[in-house]
Amino acid sequence: MRAADDILPLWTELPLDAIILDIDTLGGSINEGLEILGELRRASEDPVLVALTRSDSRRVRVKAVELGANEFFVAPVDFHELRLALERALEKRSIEIAKSATP
């Protein structure tokens, strides 16, 4: 069973505002983690996606953003910084959703 098979039902059924993904540990490789990130974004545009990795590859960061990550962090993570970035991303996303709902 793929990791996405466990995550996607939660993503679409629960009222999640955000999800933090360690793309290194999803599936068997960082590429599979990126693939899952993309699947989550295609399943729903609304929640904030935060990607974590231990890779310092610029390609991984660019690909994560292309696939829909709102924020990206390289481990080890400063959790204070993560919290602030998550708060900003949630606020920005709620404004975007409110604007799109207004005729």
Side-chain angles (χ1 to χ4, degrees):
M1 176 176 256
R2 294 176 333 117
D5 296 333
D6 293 331
I7 298 170
L8 282 168
L10 295 173
W11 183 249
T12 56
E13 294 171 14
L14 296 175
L16 299 173
D17 293 325
I19 188 167
I20 300 171
L21 299 167
D22 182 342
I23 58 175
D24 295 343
T25 60
L26 290 173
S29 69
I30 196 165
N31 288 328
E32 191 171 343
L34 287 166
E35 184 180 310
I36 292 168
L37 184 146
E39 288 181 48
L40 291 173
R41 180 50 72 210
R42 286 187 297 277
S44 179
E45 285 290 323
D46 291 343
V48 170
L49 278 173
V50 177
L52 304 177
T53 185
R54 279 162 289 297
S55 171
D56 58 0
S57 167
R58 179 164 164 67
R59 183 197 72 79
V60 171
R61 179 184 182 109
V62 168
K63 189 68 173 173
V65 171
E66 286 175 355
L67 291 170
N70 300 94
E71 295 288 337
F72 184 90
F73 286 88
V74 176
V77 176
D78 176 328
F79 287 100
H80 176 71
E81 188 178 317
L82 174 63
R83 190 183 107 232
L84 291 174
L86 190 55
E87 287 173 359
R88 282 191 311 265
L90 287 166
E91 183 178 329
K92 178 181 176 191
R93 191 67 194 124
S94 67
I95 291 169
E96 291 170 351
I97 290 170
K99 283 183 180 178
S100 68
T102 341

